[in-house]
């Protein structure tokens, strides 16, 4: 949004982002703010290349302004007041003839990373100086696309009658059982960080019918990999009267909507992404394959991987499968024994469950299923899994208040961003990642 400077007392007010200048006529007076990406002094003239989050502009300086510019370090934050004019530059269609230079804040002469990208730094060094790293447009673009995709997801849920909810992240007992919970002192008792909104989202369908949540969740997993974080953003959904096949359709539709948007806005860089050129159109127009867990076992055994019914699919198995199915595909009907207590058994084959994972190659993106809504079965499933129904009392009583049948899933949003942008490390998709060795900045 462009704001005209109101009066002289507000001389620091910017009038335009750099991307808005192209629609203006030469002779227009402008004030742009940002940081100095580059400075060239060619004697009587000097050039500042000024960058803001939307792009770049060249500014030409003479006389006192040029003298002043010589002493301002690169990356300093400044405002340039001037007039648009034509230029002989091959790189810019116009430039700003500078009338005044305001320095808001000089940058130190030795910076920890080079945001122009000319000097490369390793990821750890970049993450240690993330705010500066984001001045590199290749990096900020990741987070601009991330923000756009989150908006698309919210629009999609709104169109499909889902209500956005916010469940607590501080909880008093394990939400799904399991040991991967962070715990801390909560006044005179123990508190935990939620690993998933699972129990709350199920409870909420009792009245709200269809809910979704986009929120960080926490896993105290000691796995230092390229796809695990201890805090990750999850897109959770839960819907009454739908089964797991209908949830898969919703997930597929949502992902295709995102792919179409990125294709149409040229945001999926063909060189950079796992999804290239025509492959993207094929993905959008064909259904994602659905492969049963049992068929996966057959395929894996044929490929020489020894897996028997009831085994989880190891990293090496998923890598093998991912070589054959290298894009999006669902693995459906997992053994009930591998699934949490809230997943419904398949009535026709009670050792199987109404469950699915969505994979992209070897990478698991989504996990979900039809839920058990019969409270006595829920109780016996808890006992089977060595959990105490007593500690789930608050949850189980909701199932005695007229619970509709329901299904849902959780989508790992940071992993989805890896796939969409062709990033090999989940940390690239997260501003301030938390892993087993990183808790700051
Ligand atoms: P699950 O534990 O499979 O299922 O998690 C759902 C999805 O979240 C992502 N994810 C992670 N991403 C990054 N780092 C992690 N440590 C991490 N752990 C999980 C994955 C995964 O597919 N309550 C169920 C969902 C449901 O049934 O609704 C659950 O949490 O992409």
């Amino acid at each position: 949004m462009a704001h005209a400077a109101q009066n002289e007392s507000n001389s620091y007010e910017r009038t335009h982002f750099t991307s808005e200048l192209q629609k203006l006529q030469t002779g227009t007076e402008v004030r742009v703010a940002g940081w100095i990406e580059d400075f060239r002094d060619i004697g009587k003239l000097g050039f500042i290349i000024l960058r803001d989050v939307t792009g770049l502009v060249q500014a030409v300086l003479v006389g006192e302004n040029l003298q002043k510019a010589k002493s301002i370090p690169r990356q300093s934050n400044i405002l340039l007041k001037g007039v648009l004019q034509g230029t002989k530059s091959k790189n810019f269609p116009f430039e700003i003839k500078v009338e005044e230079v305001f320095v808001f804040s000089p940058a130190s002469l030795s910076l920890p990373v080079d945001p122009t990208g000319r000097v490369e730094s390793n990821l750890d060094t970049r993450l240690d100086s993330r705010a500066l790293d984001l001045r590199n447009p290749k990096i900020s673009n990741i987070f601009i696309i991330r923000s756009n995709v989150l908006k698309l997801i919210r629009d999609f849920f709104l169109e499909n009658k889902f209500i956005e909810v916010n469940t607590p992240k501080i909880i008093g007992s394990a939400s799904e059982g399991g040991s991967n919970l962070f715990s801390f002192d909560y006044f005179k008792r123990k508190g935990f960080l939620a690993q998933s909104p699972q129990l709350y989202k199920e409870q909420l369908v009792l009245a709200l019918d269809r809910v979704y949540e986009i929120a960080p969740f926490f896993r105290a997993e000691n796995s230092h990999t390229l796809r695990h974080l201890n805090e990750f953003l999850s897109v959770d959904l839960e819907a009454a009267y739908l089964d797991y096949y209908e949830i898969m359709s919703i997930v597929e539709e949502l992902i295709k909507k995102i792919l179409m948007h990125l294709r149409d806005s040229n945001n999926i860089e063909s060189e950079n992404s796992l999804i290239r050129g025509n492959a993207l159109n094929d993905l959008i127009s064909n259904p994602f394959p659905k492969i049963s867990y049992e068929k996966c076992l057959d395929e894996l055994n044929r490929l020489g991987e020894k897996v028997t019914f009831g085994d989880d699919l190891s990293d090496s198995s998923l890598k093998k499968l991912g070589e054959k199915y290298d894009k999006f595909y669902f693995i459906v009907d997992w053994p009930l024994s591998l699934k949490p207590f809230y997943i419904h058994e398949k009535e026709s084959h009670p050792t199987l469950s109404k469950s699915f994972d969505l994979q992209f190659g070897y990478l698991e993106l989504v996990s979900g299923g039809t839920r058990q809504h019969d409270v006595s079965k829920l109780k016996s499933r808890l006992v089977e899994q060595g959990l105490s129904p007593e500690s789930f009392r608050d949850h189980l009583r909701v199932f005695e208040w007229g619970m509709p049948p329901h299904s849902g899933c959780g989508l790992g949003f940071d992993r989805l961003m890896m796939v969409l942008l062709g990033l090999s490390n989940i940390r690239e998709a997260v501003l301030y990642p938390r892993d087993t060795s990183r808790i700051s900045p």
Side-chain angles (χ1 to χ4, degrees), residues 176 198 201 219 221 229 342 364-365 367 371 409-410 412:
E176 304 210 19
Q198 184 63 38
K201 64 177 180 170
R219 306 262 168 121
E221 289 158 338
L229 290 176
Y342 50 79
E364 179 198 315
L365 294 177
S367 182
R371 318 305 190 184
C409 68

Side-chain angles (χ1 to χ4, degrees), residues 17-32:
F17 284 96
T18 59
S19 62
E20 295 171 324
L21 299 176
Q22 66 210 30
K23 61 181 188 213
L24 304 177
Q25 297 194 329
T26 51
T28 310
E29 188 170 291
V30 295
R31 293 161 187 261
V32 291

